[in-house]
Amino acid sequence: MQAEPDMMQVFAQSVGAVARQWRRQLDMRFRHLDLTQARWSVLFELSRHEEATQIELARTLGIEGATLVRLLDGLEKAGLVERRPCHRDRRAKTLRLTGQATPLIQEMKRIAADSRVALLADVSEEDLRIANRVLSQVAARLETMNGE
């Protein structure tokens, strides 16, 4: 008789595997835009949270500050991002997408939406609601555990 699988372990492994596969799929779809996963992650996050500081953005993306600085240098050089002094903290810089980034962000969002539709076409609304509820619970627990 075979033992029942540990559903918590199966769930945790599945979430990680799906997240990696989904990022890889988007990475392939964004390749023609000359964007690496690191660069498109920064651009997407800034499109959602304009005026974030470099520290806030690094924390949200889960990367080191020095890594983000190198990414921002390249995005700034490409004319997609600009750094401005922070009104709350003169030592910090806030980040903004430039007007030049707008059409690129729109194309990225279109590609991401098309990808979501294709990936989730056979998943019912009820299953999506349940999955979102479970993932929200896990995210809230992680924030508490991580002291955020």
Side-chain angles (χ1 to χ4, degrees):
M1 185 166 147
Q2 194 166 2
E4 288 291 316
D6 177 347
M7 291 311 294
M8 289 183 181
Q9 181 178 357
V10 170
F11 177 80
Q13 289 172 334
S14 294
V15 168
V18 168
R20 282 189 301 277
Q21 290 173 344
W22 202 324
R23 280 192 307 269
R24 188 170 42 245
Q25 207 272 335
L26 281 175
D27 208 30
M28 289 186 301
R29 306 256 337 249
F30 290 153
R31 199 165 282 150
H32 76 282
L33 299 174
D34 197 30
L35 293 173
T36 63
Q37 182 180 336
R39 293 181 85 178
W40 62 255
S41 296
V42 169
L43 293 171
F44 261 142
E45 198 56 43
L46 281 177
S47 75
R48 289 187 281 256
H49 301 104
E50 188 108 2
E51 297 287 329
T53 66
Q54 290 181 198
I55 293 169
E56 292 165 344
L57 184 60
R59 187 176 303 127
T60 299
L61 293 172
I63 60 176
E64 295 294 322
T67 302
L68 179 60
V69 166
R70 286 190 299 275
L71 288 167
L72 291 172
D73 288 346
L75 292 169
E76 193 171 38
K77 188 174 181 179
L80 301 173
V81 172
E82 60 184 23
R83 295 171 170 122
R84 293 185 174 177
C86 179
H87 304 301
R88 299 168 297 189
D89 182 350
R90 293 188 330 193
R91 299 167 298 174
K93 299 283 187 196
T94 57
L95 305 167
R96 288 182 48 108
L97 294 170
T98 65
Q100 187 175 333
T102 301
L104 177 62
I105 297 295
Q106 289 172 342
E107 178 66 3
M108 290 167 57
K109 287 181 176 181
R110 185 195 63 74
I111 291 168
D114 290 349
S115 179
R116 273 193 309 276
V117 168
L119 287 168
L120 301 172
D122 299 328
V123 180
S124 72
E125 287 288 323
E126 180 61 21
D127 284 347
L128 287 173
R129 270 192 283 285
I130 292 168
N132 279 316
R133 188 177 72 236
V134 170
L135 290 172
S136 292
Q137 289 172 336
V138 172
R141 179 67 54 92
L142 285 168
E143 285 178 12
T144 300
M145 292 171 73
N146 292 335
E148 295 175 5

